[in-house]
Amino acid sequence: MAESEVNPTGSDLHLDLSGEGSVRSRLMGALREAVRSGRLAPGTRLPPYRGLAADLGVARNTVAEAYAELVQEGWLTARQGSGTRVARRVAPLRPDRPDRVDDPRGLPRRRVLHDLAPSSPDASAFPRSAWRASVRRALTEAPSEAFAAGDVRGRPELRTALAEYLARARGVRTDPERIVVCSGFAHALMLLGRVVEGAVAVESFGLGYHRELVAQAGLRTVPLTVDAGGARVGELAGSGAATALLTPAHQFPLGGALLPERRAEVIDWARARGGLLIEDDYDGEFRYDRRPVGAVQGLAPERVVYIGSVGKSLSPALRLGWMVLPGFLVDRVLAAKGPREVWSGVVDQLTLADFISCGSYDRHLRRMRQRYRRRRDLLTDTLARRVPGVRVGGIAAGLHAVLELPEGGEAAALRAARRLGLAVDGLADYRHPDSAMPPREGLVVGYGTPPEHAFPAAVDALCLALSGTG
């Protein structure tokens, strides 16, 4: 296509797309050259991608993806209400300047513009004022001995507050002496890996990192089939496992809650086998279709290790978690932790104890449930309107949804997401390699991470990435 004079308002833009390579790469090269040569001056507004696509006779998605990638590289800027413009800078960026790194799978990982990766809360929503007030009170009231080497279990103020809160809000039965403070779920799992023996049954879809931690402890993992009612715990009897690791409140990532009859069944198995259930209370605080489901631990405190943290309810940066242990495991876990084991900072422990006791934690959770539910509704409504062929599941609780895709759809969506600067996970990465369940294709989409003002744009990018998946 012949080049013409560039209208400085950006309303007309004709480019030479001749040459080799894909249409998108040729379009990006032509735009870079126009900026580099000075024909497109800094601040020049480019035509909307629909208009330019019509002028060039190419697909709208091609132009949108080219614009998005050039924004990532720094050639263009995009702001709501201002359109896409040539970036203002002293000198143009070199086209070969590295702006990406390779991920372990060999796929290019570009700078993230829209973060919809699961399992993270909205960092901008951290309750700074209430937390600051709790810090002041905690430091004012803390005894001097709190700042010496203390109980390896963790500060008694926090363990006492947790025992009361977990009994009230999650149906956990315990006392402070059976609670051990740790730095999060992974830390708890590493400690348990040192004290349990035999194979560990895990859900066929779950975090590979957790399976790796179990394997690093020298323990074999056995996959259990997962359906809409959670793990099929009836398979435990023939699995040879002595321990089961489950997410009963909201199976991660598929999203089902463990059915009542399966809760009873796993407890019967543990008592008959002398086995142990490790209960990851994943998303226990964030349920939208009804009141939160109580912890399985309440049914059999002597056979269940209950693990929770503030990683999603407050912030993963706090590095605060807890284990509620059966009596026979307390000394073993404390020995594994060791008197010089790295533990969470005492000021954060004291602060969280006050934050829970004064009611700030409950108020924060209620506020965040409302916020995340609105996001979930916006996500599902937008997908239903713009990508009606995509089935959305796992949305009764938590901060993520699973988008089921047809064969080939996952890889195509992930490629488009990378081009758009969209961070999102593929469902295939969560499947246990030894699972008998057939592979499933889809995306695991987190709706917790972006700040409020950025969430609609992230959903828009997601719809764009999905638009060609069928």
Side-chain angles (χ1 to χ4, degrees), residues 122 124-125 368 371-372 374-375 447 449-457:
D122 180 354
S124 69
M368 297 312 296
R371 174 176 296 193
Y372 293 140
R374 287 195 299 269
R375 293 190 185 190
Y447 48 85
T449 305
E452 286 286 278
H453 71 275
F455 186 65

Side-chain angles (χ1 to χ4, degrees), residues 8 32 44 58 131 139 175 181 193 224 261 267 284 289 304 331 339 351 404 454:
R32 288 193 194 100
T44 299
V58 302
W131 189 259
L139 288 175
D175 61 67
V181 176
L224 301 175
E261 56 268 29
I267 293 303
D289 61 347
V304 180
D331 288 342
T351 301
E404 297 187 17

Side-chain angles (χ1 to χ4, degrees), residues 381-395:
D381 292 348
T382 304
L383 288 171
R385 185 176 69 255
R386 294 181 54 184
V387 201
V390 173
R391 183 177 179 274
V392 184
I395 57 173

Side-chain angles (χ1 to χ4, degrees), residues 307-320:
I307 306 177
S309 79
V310 297
K312 291 175 69 179
S313 58
L314 280 170
S315 168
L318 291 176
R319 309 310 308 150
L320 281 171

Side-chain angles (χ1 to χ4, degrees), residues 150-155 158-159 179-184 187-188 190-192 194-195 319-323 325 329-345 349:
D151 193 330
V152 70
R153 290 175 174 83
R155 284 301 304 171
L158 178 56
R159 291 186 286 110
I179 295 177
V180 174
V181 176
C182 53
S183 62
H187 184 207
M190 285 189 286
L191 293 174
L192 290 171
R194 301 174 189 174
V195 301
R319 309 310 308 150
L320 281 171
W322 48 85
M323 287 182 279
L325 297 165
L329 270 184
V330 174
D331 288 342
R332 297 187 206 173
V333 169
L334 293 179
K337 193 179 185 192
R340 301 186 186 280
E341 180 71 38
V342 175
W343 55 69
S344 302
Q349 291 189 53

Side-chain angles (χ1 to χ4, degrees), residues 92-428:
L93 294 174
R94 292 174 54 84
D96 58 349
R97 181 173 178 173
D99 70 326
R100 68 180 79 177
V101 295
D102 290 335
D103 81 0
R105 296 169 296 176
L107 301 173
R109 181 186 300 151
R110 291 171 170 80
R111 250 184 330 199
V112 174
L113 300 177
H114 311 287
D115 192 352
L116 292 181
S119 303
S120 297
D122 180 354
S124 69
F126 185 80
R128 300 182 188 220
S129 296
W131 189 259
R132 184 166 55 244
S134 285
V135 170
R136 291 196 188 102
R137 284 193 296 268
L139 288 175
T140 300
E141 298 170 8
S144 297
E145 55 87 13
F147 301 99
D151 193 330
V152 70
R153 290 175 174 83
R155 284 301 304 171
E157 296 91 339
L158 178 56
R159 291 186 286 110
T160 299
L162 283 170
E164 186 278 331
Y165 170 77
L166 294 173
R168 170 172 55 82
R170 304 295 301 122
V172 170
R173 291 192 288 154
T174 190
D175 61 67
E177 296 306 304
R178 289 169 56 177
I179 295 177
V180 174
V181 176
C182 53
S183 62
F185 182 85
H187 184 207
L189 192 56
M190 285 189 286
L191 293 174
L192 290 171
R194 301 174 189 174
V195 301
V196 302
E197 298 176 351
V200 178
V202 299
E203 295 157 337
S204 279
F205 281 82
L207 280 174
Y209 176 54
H210 291 168
R211 295 194 295 266
E212 291 170 7
L213 291 176
V214 174
Q216 288 169 10
L219 304 172
R220 180 172 60 93
T221 60
V222 180
L224 301 175
T225 304
V226 177
D227 58 24
R232 293 183 180 174
V233 296
E235 298 174 2
L236 283 168
S239 69
T243 303
L245 169 60
L246 305 180
T247 52
H250 190 224
Q251 200 283 321
F252 183 80
L254 299 182
L258 193 64
L259 292 172
E261 56 268 29
R262 294 185 185 180
R263 289 171 163 244
E265 190 174 7
V266 72
I267 293 303
D268 289 343
W269 164 82
R271 286 173 172 159
R273 170 74 168 76
L276 187 70
L277 169 62
I278 301 175
E279 179 176 13
D280 178 359
D281 195 27
Y282 196 88
D283 290 335
E285 305 95 340
F286 297 111
R287 189 148 205 102
Y288 310 119
D289 61 347
R290 59 181 183 270
R291 290 183 60 83
V293 179
V296 178
Q297 190 271 357
L299 300 176
E302 75 285 359
R303 303 274 28 131
V304 180
V305 176
Y306 172 94
I307 306 177
S309 79
V310 297
K312 291 175 69 179
S313 58
L314 280 170
S315 168
L318 291 176
R319 309 310 308 150
L320 281 171
W322 48 85
M323 287 182 279
V324 178
L325 297 165
F328 74 92
L329 270 184
V330 174
D331 288 342
R332 297 187 206 173
V333 169
L334 293 179
K337 193 179 185 192
R340 301 186 186 280
E341 180 71 38
V342 175
W343 55 69
S344 302
V346 68
V347 174
D348 284 342
Q349 291 189 53
L350 293 170
T351 301
L352 180 58
D354 181 87
F355 196 75
I356 294 171
S357 299
C358 74
S360 292
Y361 191 54
D362 288 272
R363 288 190 289 273
H364 174 72
L365 287 176
R366 285 195 296 270
R367 183 168 60 253
M368 297 312 296
R369 280 191 206 106
Q370 294 173 356
R371 174 176 296 193
Y372 293 140
R373 181 168 188 161
R374 287 195 299 269
R375 293 190 185 190
R376 181 202 68 170
D377 293 345
L378 174 62
L379 173 67
T380 55
D381 292 348
T382 304
L383 288 171
R385 185 176 69 255
R386 294 181 54 184
V387 201
V390 173
R391 183 177 179 274
V392 184
I395 57 173
L399 308 185
H400 78 277
V402 175
L403 314 186
E404 297 187 17
L405 299 176
E407 185 176 354
E410 179 175 320
L414 289 174
R415 286 194 297 270
R418 285 192 295 274
R419 289 195 295 269
L420 293 166
L422 171 65
V424 67
D425 285 357
L427 184 57

